[in-house]
Amino acid sequence: MNKAKVATVWLDGCSGCHMSLLDMDAAIISLARKIDLVYGPLVDAQEFPEGVDVVLVEGAVSSQEDLNKLHKIRQRSHVLVSLGDCAVTGNVPAMRNSVPVSKLLHRIYVDGAQEGKTVPVDRVPTLLKQARPLREFVKVDFYLPGCPPPSKAIASFITDLLEGRKSEASSKVKFG
Amino acid sequence: MKRITIDPVSRIEGHAKITIHLNEEGQVAGTEFHVTQVRGFEKFTEGRPFYEMPGITARICGICPISHSLASSKACDAIMALRLPPAAKKLRELVHFAQIVQSHALSFFYLSSPDLLLGMDSDPAARNVLGVIAEHPEMARDGIELRKFGLQLIEGLAEERVHPSWIVPGGVATPFLATARDHALAALPAASEIAERTLRFFKSVVDNYKEQIEFFGSFPTMYAGLVDAGGNLQLYDGGLRFRGTNGEIVQDHIAPEDYANWIGEASLRESYLKAPYFKPRGFPAGIYRVGPLGRLNAADRCGTPKADAEFREFHERFGAVAQSAFHYHYARLIEIVFALERIESLLNDPQILDSQVRATAGVNSLEGVGMIEAPRGTLIHHYKVNPEGAITWANLIVATGHNNLAMGQSVNQVSKHFIDGTKLNEGMLNHVSAVVRAYDPCLSCSTHAIGVPALQIRLVDAAGKLLDQLTTD
């Protein structure tokens, strides 16, 4: 059997969804026999590869760089999953949405500093006006809500998908 | 002038990239360390009730949400000007030590051990935790089990592993159950064995890394960490100590509410991560480091028997002030031993089963500061509120931020030693990423932001033209 090519991506979130993924503990050892982890925070792949079977995306879309990444990911993946409340709804990253970006940056880097007092501009990505959920930009195939989604829900979702079953993970999740 | 970009840096917690400038001879002329996202918690929390802050700020980081809820709750305790029930303080300490264990295990086993066990120059396609599972299954299983021990204890106390709602202003939400305590006590000996076995292994191989020790951020700086009145290592309470490069104590027992007299923050043009500095020495001369190495350099001892024996051996081998960032790994493993010893003594303290675990009060002070040692270093939450309890101003100085200047200098030192621009290869650049990993930076924490780590290396000229590109596929 060919191993499934699985990728994970971390946009504007807190990594809690990735931690919940790792919270399957030793089950990762048997999962490792069925999948190749081809891209993500845990591996050293340099470029998001073509022909990914499943990609789990954590986090909202918050910068131009996030958006470019998301389009590339969608293009190169068969199944795209919104992993966690930030990817599904915007959640905590979207709490900044009522504040204009310039005011936000001024508060942190000018008012909030004793030296330098300048908004970073050299080779750092531009923030979008608002942090938004994935589905506003690309087609999302599955949603796994939760802050974070329970480890069991993530593990059974991946297993169902690999074994060609219709996932019933949605019965195990809730928002927040 | 040519430029290499490592974008993004992989196997770290958060989103960073590195720019390396090469001169005409292909030698490293300079480097920049960029942290590339920002979320603005300090601004968007304005107007929210202060008691929401532990829950909101926990979402800064999914790896150390406990640290943020603790520092935040301590700031809220100060706003309410109340005294915690003794059991509440002990339970907060217990959950904190559990988090130290799981977070340090993540850093060592899941993120850095691929470099140490498989080799910095090994095949990047397999240089990850799944590669460690395949090649070193016992070590991988140890890492999984040790992380699990910490998280199961967190679950036993707080019901959930990530983002529990248990740590609250005034204490904790619910008492600790004897069944959960007994479960943790039963699992403890196996966890201690793993911690001690891993430390023995690391001590047996550390001498193989002479070159890394010499060039991985090996330069004099101050070190900072919390200590108690007797100079013992503290993670939950205590005052902040700065120790100088020759072992002298520069400043001692800084109280949380006085932090701003001693720590300033500088904005940098090339990074969303601000750079804190020790105010009396100015910027950037006031460089210092925090985290496991910062703490073990700042403290006089740990205060528990096994960790103290390790502490003495560590300093005998590498000096009273161990100066290389490579030693973060060693210090991290000693701290796991320390945390497990403290967990044992807290679990055996009958008071932790007490039913009085939460005090309540309204706003009794318009300002509050909470300071703790998060796994990655000193964490400060500072809030101001109006009389109704709405946040009017917030400042967060987060563990990894303190190390910003030192990480920048370390990237520079490693690049100059390991990179030859005339025959660039992936392994050279992985050394640069590896020194960042040694600090175990939590960039999601430090900019209250997050990104997608992975590695892409492009060699471009000064005009931005792509000269060379390295990929693993």
Side-chain angles (χ1 to χ4, degrees):
Chain A
M1 190 183 88
N2 274 345
K3 284 184 165 185
K5 288 168 80 173
V6 176
T8 69
V9 169
W10 178 0
L11 300 177
D12 192 9
C14 75
S15 82
C17 299
H18 272 80
M19 291 307 108
S20 198
L21 174 72
L22 290 184
D23 285 347
M24 69 175 74
D25 299 326
I28 198 174
I29 295 172
S30 51
L31 187 63
R33 294 190 203 106
K34 297 180 201 152
I35 65 163
D36 274 326
L37 200 52
V38 294
Y39 184 87
L42 293 166
V43 302
D44 281 1
Q46 302 166 3
E47 176 76 12
F48 195 90
E50 302 275 358
V52 168
D53 294 305
V54 185
V55 60
L56 306 170
V57 185
E58 168 182 352
V61 180
S62 198
S63 70
Q64 188 57 46
E65 201 172 278
D66 293 341
L67 186 55
N68 298 347
K69 242 168 233 164
L70 182 63
H71 283 304
K72 184 190 273 186
I73 291 160
R74 176 67 274 188
Q75 207 180 9
R76 297 182 176 184
S77 311
H78 296 300
V79 173
L80 186 148
V81 183
S82 281
L83 179 68
D85 287 349
C86 299
V88 175
T89 72
N91 197 30
V92 172
M95 287 176 78
R96 73 164 171 89
N97 287 356
S98 61
V99 183
V101 168
S102 58
K103 269 197 175 166
L104 190 86
L105 296 176
H106 196 270
R107 162 67 186 85
I108 301 170
Y109 300 106
V110 180
D111 297 343
Q114 290 75 50
E115 288 282 338
K117 286 185 168 291
T118 176
V119 172
V121 286
D122 290 352
R123 293 177 278 283
V124 289
T126 314
L127 284 190
L128 299 176
K129 279 185 183 164
Q130 297 197 321
R132 309 296 302 183
L134 308 186
R135 66 177 160 73
E136 293 191 12
F137 305 99
V138 296
K139 176 173 170 281
V140 173
D141 300 298
F142 292 96
Y143 296 89
L144 270 181
C147 185
S151 182
K152 283 195 173 82
I154 303 174
S156 69
F157 173 80
I158 296 174
T159 315
D160 285 349
L161 213 55
L162 292 179
E163 292 171 5
R165 279 196 301 272
K166 190 171 169 356
S167 177
E168 286 169 16
S170 58
S171 63
K172 301 182 183 68
V173 297
K174 63 176 178 59
F175 286 92
Chain B
M1 182 78 89
K2 292 173 184 170
R3 207 161 73 197
I4 307 169
T5 309
I6 302 178
D7 177 19
V9 180
S10 65
R11 278 185 285 126
I12 58 167
E13 293 133 16
H15 191 181
K17 63 181 182 181
I18 291 166
T19 304
I20 301 167
H21 300 275
L22 302 176
N23 64 19
E24 297 308 324
E25 288 74 46
Q27 303 308 310
V28 173
T31 55
E32 289 170 7
F33 176 60
H34 316 270
V35 174
T36 50
Q37 282 195 335
V38 56
R39 297 205 287 176
F41 276 78
E42 288 150 319
K43 180 68 185 167
F44 74 61
T45 53
E46 285 174 9
R48 315 235 25 137
F50 74 89
Y51 49 78
E52 283 187 356
M53 293 300 273
I56 295 175
T57 58
R59 267 71 180 182
I60 288 171
C61 179
I63 297 161
C64 61
I66 303 291
S67 304
H68 286 284
S69 358
L70 283 173
S72 179
S73 292
K74 286 180 84 175
C76 296
D77 298 344
I79 286 168
M80 301 191 296
L82 49 68
R83 198 181 63 210
L84 287 190
K89 180 168 178 286
K90 286 177 181 174
L91 288 170
R92 282 185 181 183
E93 279 191 86
L94 183 59
V95 77
H96 191 35
F97 287 121
Q99 181 192 234
I100 294 279
V101 171
Q102 68 87 6
S103 174
H104 281 3
L106 177 81
S107 169
F108 184 79
F109 291 96
Y110 286 74
L111 302 178
S112 278
S113 84
D115 291 328
L116 304 173
L117 296 172
L118 306 172
M120 305 247 180
D121 303 298
S122 64
D123 175 12
R127 197 175 53 213
N128 56 55
V129 67
L130 300 190
V132 174
I133 288 172
E135 296 293 319
H136 299 272
E138 308 81 21
M139 184 68 101
R141 192 170 276 279
D142 274 359
I144 291 167
E145 291 302 319
L146 190 58
R147 178 175 179 274
K148 182 175 151 188
F149 171 80
L151 284 160
Q152 281 191 332
L153 179 50
I154 291 171
E155 215 173 358
L157 287 156
E159 287 186 31
E160 289 168 295
R161 287 181 171 201
V162 184
H163 300 326
S165 315
W166 182 70
I167 300 157
V168 291
V172 297
T174 51
F176 191 29
L177 299 178
T179 47
R181 190 255 332 250
D182 295 344
H183 183 82
L185 272 173
L188 186 64
S192 301
E193 265 175 45
I194 292 173
E196 288 161 33
R197 181 158 65 230
T198 309
L199 186 51
R200 272 199 304 278
F201 161 79
F202 189 82
K203 289 194 289 189
S204 73
V205 299
V206 66
D207 283 337
N208 303 341
Y209 294 96
K210 288 211 161 73
E211 196 181 8
Q212 280 79 13
I213 291 170
E214 195 178 342
F215 295 101
F216 265 39
S218 180
F219 45 79
T221 61
M222 287 182 287
Y223 291 88
L226 295 179
V227 294
D228 68 12
N232 296 295
L233 175 64
Q234 281 292 309
L235 298 179
Y236 175 75
D237 252 335
L240 187 60
R241 171 185 282 179
F242 283 84
R243 194 189 283 282
T245 187
N246 299 315
E248 75 284 12
I249 292 173
V250 177
Q251 194 63 40
D252 213 357
H253 304 305
I254 298 171
E257 56 273 23
D258 295 332
Y259 82 93
N261 295 331
W262 302 98
I263 296 172
E265 290 184 272
S267 295
L268 306 174
R269 285 178 62 84
E270 73 277 10
S271 181
Y272 280 134
L273 179 53
K274 289 187 281 190
Y277 58 96
F278 184 65
K279 260 189 180 170
R281 296 199 179 167
F283 176 80
I287 182 174
Y288 61 95
R289 292 186 251 197
V290 302
L293 182 64
R295 290 189 285 255
L296 294 198
N297 278 334
D300 299 327
R301 70 194 75 77
C302 296
T304 57
K306 286 178 189 167
D308 271 341
E310 299 294 346
F311 180 95
R312 283 190 296 273
E313 185 182 340
F314 174 71
H315 286 298
E316 273 161 24
R317 281 178 90 161
F318 299 109
V321 178
Q323 288 285 6
S324 169
F326 191 78
H327 295 318
Y328 269 98
H329 297 302
Y330 194 158
R332 198 167 286 126
L333 294 174
I334 295 174
E335 282 198 337
I336 295 177
V337 171
F338 169 71
L340 290 169
E341 284 183 288
R342 294 287 291 117
I343 286 171
E344 184 176 13
S345 76
L346 284 163
L347 286 174
N348 284 312
D349 182 339
Q351 198 176 36
I352 60 162
L353 299 180
D354 202 292
S355 59
Q356 296 295 324
V357 293
R358 183 176 191 179
T360 54
V363 175
N364 289 306
S365 165
L366 296 180
E367 195 166 352
V369 181
M371 181 159 76
I372 64 159
E373 285 293 331
R376 291 156 193 82
T378 316
L379 170 63
I380 301 164
H381 281 223
H382 180 192
Y383 311 145
K384 294 179 188 173
V385 296
N386 67 17
E388 286 71 46
I391 298 282
T392 57
W393 180 91
N395 188 36
L396 311 174
I397 301 185
V398 178
T400 297
H402 302 282
N403 285 337
N404 198 4
L405 282 174
M407 284 193 288
Q409 285 194 20
S410 301
V411 162
N412 193 276
Q413 187 183 39
V414 171
S415 301
K416 287 193 163 150
H417 182 74
F418 288 98
I419 288 183
D420 178 348
T422 61
K423 44 182 180 191
L424 194 62
N425 67 49
E426 194 274 343
M428 290 177 188
L429 295 164
N430 187 44
H431 277 81
V432 182
S433 299
V435 77
V436 177
R437 273 172 220 136
Y439 286 93
D440 185 24
C442 195
L443 304 171
S444 42
C445 277
S446 54
T447 55
H448 330 320
I450 213 94
V452 187
L455 190 67
Q456 187 197 28
I457 302 145
R458 302 169 76 234
L459 186 57
V460 292
D461 67 14
K465 188 173 156 234
L466 185 68
L467 299 178
D468 193 7
Q469 188 159 4
L470 280 173
T471 57
T472 47
D473 295 319

